[in-house]
């Protein structure tokens, strides 16, 4: 990764390009790469068992739970439409006033085993929990902060209970951690002076301590998902992000880390100044997904998207009628969309202040769970198939099996499948084994018959394929 120096102009243009756009740019030719101390640690996907498990899980739940659940988007009688977990900022509430919400933190309906059972029934293989969101309130009794569950009427270690319950249910736990901490006097958005620099170094030590505490108190954690890392202060301290990744990997062997943590020597985030992914997987797809035709570059690295059910509410908001709320099938569509491009999907839940889930979330969870129970084999351990996207839905692949996940039924009664060169479709079946008619209609093009009784929800057709390097073809190209 060390090579000639770039011209100042080229470097400046690299620094200005956003991660998503940069991701679409071609990598620099090796001889033009610049020397980086804090760039990517590795080229290409991680291939070890822990990473494979992360990848095979494919479907996860995100949990945003903190003090913001108590006001639920409402402050002093006024309802704010923005994300509920940002209410402190929308309503300009000073930290000392906001943190008094701790006196009301007493979720009497919280039952970690019930949460784990709900997760299990929803088919998720992992849960990402907000250990600490931007407000600074910790769901574990951190000895480095007074703003923790230990100092609330509830007192108990919520995070510890959840880790145990999820793990007992066979579900991996991932820790969301916001580096930006509005409760801490040493947090800085930007380093403008020597004094800022000293304060911010203290803040980084505090953060290291909290991270070490999490890693050692809960050693079964499988992933750290960093957030609140976009400010200039972090970009000015790229060294620290590389250090945190190394530190956590030493403390928790196999742990995975998202790209959002990282900034390189020049403050470039997610992808370093040479265009290489930092961290183990890309994590910038938030409430949006790559285009299944134009953005195939994402299949080159591991990635995980996260999605809210309303348009943009992560924490509990009392009033979901203020924005569009996705239907269960729309959420399912996004899950399948992500897997079809080799990504994971974490669907967000924002539990109520009493520790229960709102009815819409319970219904969604149960819908996804029932669908996954019948059709999960086209999601878990599946990957990008490499076949041209068709309008009826998405393909996924597991070894030599190709899955067609049908979301839109065409009036023609036929689903078009176009195979890559040298690949033929030998057989098609529903997941219950029932045969589906396959008709070859042109070179590398097939009609797959729609089963006479289609379920009232997206369904799956499994294709068995044959491959030959030099297929004999009866088709002739048109002379034009
Ligand atoms: O500001 C946060 C937001 O509240 C939420 O936690 C999401 C989840 O990905 N992350 C940040 C915005 O990118």
């Amino acid at each position: 990764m060390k090579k000639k120096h770039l011209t100042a102009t080229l470097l400046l243009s690299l620094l200005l390009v956003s991660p998503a756009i940069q991701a679409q740019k071609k990598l620099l030719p090796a001889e033009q790469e610049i020397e980086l101390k804090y760039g990517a640690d590795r080229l290409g996907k991680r291939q070890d068992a822990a990473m494979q498990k992360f990848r095979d899980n494919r479907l996860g739940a995100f949990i945003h739970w903190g003090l913001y659940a108590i006001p639920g988007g409402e402050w002093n009688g006024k309802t704010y439409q923005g994300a509920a977990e940002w209410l402190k900022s929308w309503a300009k509430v000073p930290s000392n006033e906001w943190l008094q919400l701790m006196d009301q933190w007493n979720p009497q309906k919280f039952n970690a085993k019930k949460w784990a059972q709900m997760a299990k029934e929803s088919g998720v293989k992992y849960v990402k929990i907000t250990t600490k969101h931007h407000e600074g309130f910790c769901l574990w009794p951190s000895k480095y902060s007074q703003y923790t569950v230990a100092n609330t009427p509830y007192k108990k270690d919520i995070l510890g209970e959840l880790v145990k319950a999820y793990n007992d249910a066979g579900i991996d736990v991932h820790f969301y951690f916001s580096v930006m901490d509005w409760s801490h006097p040493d947090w800085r958005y930007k380093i403008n002076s020597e004094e800022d620099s000293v304060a911010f170094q203290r803040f980084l030590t505090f953060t290291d301590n909290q991270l070490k505490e999490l890693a050692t108190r809960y050693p079964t954690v499988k992933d750290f998902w960093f957030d609140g890392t976009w400010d200039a202060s972090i970009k000015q301290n790229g060294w620290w992000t590389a250090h945190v990744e190394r530190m956590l990997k030493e403390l928790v062997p196999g742990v995975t880390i998202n790209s959002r943590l990282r900034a390189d020597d020049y403050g470039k985030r997610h992808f370093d100044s040479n265009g290489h992914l930092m961290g183990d997987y890309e994590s910038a797809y938030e409430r949006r997904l790559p285009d299944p035709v134009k953005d195939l570059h994402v299949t080159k690295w591991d990635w995980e998207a996260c999605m809210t059910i309303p348009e943009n509410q992560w924490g509990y908001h009392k009033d979901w009628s203020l924005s569009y709320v996705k239907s269960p099938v729309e959420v399912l569509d996004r899950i399948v969309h992500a897997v079809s491009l080799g990504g994971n999907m974490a669907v967000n839940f924002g539990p109520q202040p009493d520790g229960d889930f709102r009815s819409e979330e319970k219904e969604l969870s149960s819908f996804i769970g029932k669908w996954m129970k019948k059709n999960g084999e086209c999601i878990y351990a599946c990957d990008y198939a490499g076949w041209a996207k068709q309008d009826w839905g998405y393909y996924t692949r597991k070894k030599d099996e190709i899955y067609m996940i049908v979301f839109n039924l065409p009036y023609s009664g036929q689903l078009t499948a176009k195979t890559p060169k040298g690949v033929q479709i030998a057989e098609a079946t529903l997941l219950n084994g029932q045969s589906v008619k396959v008709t070859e209609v042109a070179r590398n093009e097939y009609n797959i018959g729609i089963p006479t009784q289609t379920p009232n929800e997206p369904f799956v057709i499994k294709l068995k394929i044959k491959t030959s390097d030099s297929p004999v073809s009866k088709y002739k190209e048109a002379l034009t």
Side-chain angles (χ1 to χ4, degrees):
M1 274 177 264
K2 147 181 179 163
K3 298 287 144 71
K4 264 203 263 168
H5 282 274
L6 281 179
T7 62
T9 332
L10 181 52
L11 185 54
L12 186 66
S13 60
L14 273 173
L15 296 178
L16 293 175
V17 178
S18 77
I21 297 172
Q22 171 65 17
Q24 292 167 35
K25 284 168 74 97
K26 285 211 173 93
L27 293 176
L28 289 173
E31 67 281 4
Q32 283 181 24
E33 288 198 352
I34 55 171
E35 185 169 1
L36 293 171
K37 278 211 297 243
Y38 310 115
D41 302 322
R42 178 197 66 249
L43 301 184
K45 295 183 179 181
R46 234 177 88 175
Q47 298 298 351
D48 56 287
M51 190 72 217
Q52 190 57 45
K53 176 72 168 53
F54 172 95
R55 202 177 281 139
D56 287 351
N57 283 344
R58 287 300 185 220
L59 176 61
F62 216 143
I63 302 269
H64 274 70
W65 205 31
L67 297 178
Y68 42 81
I70 298 169
E74 192 184 304
W75 198 259
N76 284 342
K78 183 170 171 199
T79 300
Y80 292 79
Q81 190 175 346
E85 71 284 359
W86 276 78
L87 179 65
K88 176 184 182 305
S89 169
W90 310 141
K92 300 189 173 39
V93 187
S95 278
N96 57 351
E97 196 183 329
W98 181 263
L99 292 161
Q100 282 171 26
L101 287 167
M102 283 172 57
D103 298 340
Q104 296 174 54
W105 182 265
N106 198 5
Q108 289 303 308
K109 290 192 183 157
F110 173 66
N111 180 327
K113 282 192 183 147
K114 276 197 184 163
W115 282 32
Q117 192 186 343
M118 176 173 156
K120 182 109 190 143
E121 285 169 5
S122 76
V124 302
K125 297 285 185 193
Y126 64 98
V127 177
K128 296 182 114 69
I129 309 167
T130 48
T131 58
K132 176 176 89 164
H133 202 263
H134 311 332
E135 63 182 2
F137 176 62
C138 304
L139 283 191
W140 83 102
S142 174
K143 63 179 181 205
Y144 301 100
S145 167
Q146 48 180 309
Y147 309 121
T148 84
V149 277
N151 298 323
T152 65
Y154 190 72
K155 290 194 173 59
K156 286 179 272 181
D157 176 4
I158 300 247
L159 188 63
E161 288 186 34
L162 285 173
V163 170
K164 177 162 186 343
Y166 285 129
N167 286 170
D168 286 351
I171 293 171
D172 289 345
V173 174
H174 295 189
F175 285 170
Y176 165 106
F177 184 93
S178 171
V179 176
M180 174 168 76
D181 183 332
W182 295 332
S183 76
H184 201 289
D186 290 331
W187 163 257
R188 295 288 183 281
Y189 291 93
K190 197 167 182 221
I191 311 302
N192 289 316
S193 62
E194 182 54 27
E195 199 190 331
D196 281 345
S197 175
V198 172
F200 199 64
Q201 294 312 310
R202 275 198 306 266
F203 178 80
L204 295 181
T205 305
F206 153 76
T207 306
D208 276 0
N209 285 335
Q210 285 209 317
L211 289 170
K212 281 189 237 163
E213 189 180 42
L214 282 170
T216 46
R217 271 183 77 100
Y218 313 104
T220 61
V221 59
K222 296 288 181 252
D223 174 88
F224 276 84
W225 197 95
F226 287 92
D227 202 8
T229 41
W230 45 75
D231 285 307
S233 51
I234 299 291
K235 291 196 255 177
Q236 291 165 301
N237 283 282
W239 68 270
W240 176 79
T241 68
H243 145 81
V244 166
E245 181 166 345
R246 263 196 313 275
M247 174 181 87
L248 291 174
K249 285 182 172 172
E250 271 165 29
L251 288 169
V252 188
V255 77
T256 51
I257 311 266
N258 66 335
S259 62
R260 207 180 276 219
L261 166 67
R262 295 291 304 276
D264 77 1
D265 315 38
Y266 298 95
K268 185 85 184 54
R269 298 187 57 241
H270 296 269
F271 291 84
D272 70 17
S273 297
N274 293 319
H276 301 302
L277 179 71
M278 295 180 286
D280 298 314
Y281 60 97
E282 195 269 353
S283 59
Y285 283 101
E286 175 172 322
R287 295 185 290 121
R288 67 191 179 94
L289 283 165
D291 184 286
V293 177
K294 294 188 205 135
D295 294 334
L296 296 182
H297 54 266
V298 299
T299 60
K300 293 195 191 120
W301 48 78
D302 286 301
W303 61 278
E304 180 196 51
C306 52
M307 193 65 66
T308 48
I309 304 170
E311 192 274 319
N312 183 20
Q313 292 295 343
W314 298 90
Y316 172 76
H317 194 293
K318 287 177 190 162
D319 190 354
W320 268 16
S321 73
L322 297 173
S323 75
Y324 182 71
V325 177
K326 295 170 198 71
S327 71
V329 174
E330 287 173 309
V331 174
L332 181 63
D333 185 292
R334 284 156 173 80
I335 295 168
V336 178
H337 180 155
V339 178
S340 77
L341 290 169
N344 284 20
M345 172 60 85
V347 179
N348 185 69
F349 295 81
Q352 298 170 169
D354 64 4
D356 200 356
F357 288 82
R358 67 196 312 142
S359 57
E360 296 95 324
E361 290 184 344
K362 288 184 187 165
E363 280 156 28
L364 171 86
S365 173
S366 139
F367 172 86
I368 302 285
K370 285 189 190 128
W371 194 88
M372 289 297 289
K373 205 163 183 191
K374 277 183 271 175
N375 304 293
E377 74 166 269
C378 72
I379 299 292
Y380 305 126
C382 284
D383 216 327
Y384 171 58
W387 289 25
K389 166 92 172 81
Q390 302 297 328
D391 291 341
W392 43 255
Y394 305 96
Y395 293 108
T396 62
R397 175 179 200 138
K398 197 183 297 166
K399 299 201 173 98
D400 279 343
E401 301 201 299
I402 302 286
Y403 297 96
M404 298 169 61
I405 301 104
V406 181
F407 280 81
N408 313 305
L409 285 177
Y411 283 109
S412 67
Q414 302 290 343
L415 303 164
T416 299
K418 293 189 180 176
T419 59
K421 199 169 169 216
V423 176
Q424 292 112 48
I425 298 177
E427 189 189 313
T429 55
L430 298 180
L431 293 185
N432 64 11
Q434 191 188 316
S435 171
V436 171
K437 189 164 181 224
V438 180
T439 313
E440 186 178 331
V441 293
R443 187 201 300 266
N444 292 107
E445 186 171 332
Y446 297 81
N447 276 352
I448 310 292
I450 293 173
T452 38
Q453 283 185 320
T454 49
N456 198 19
E457 61 180 15
F459 65 95
V460 182
I461 297 177
K462 180 151 89 171
L463 306 178
K464 285 227 159 50
I465 55 172
K466 283 190 297 200
T467 50
S468 50
D469 291 340
S470 47
V472 182
S473 176
K474 58 187 176 193
Y475 300 106
K476 292 255 177 299
E477 298 299 340
L479 298 172
T480 58

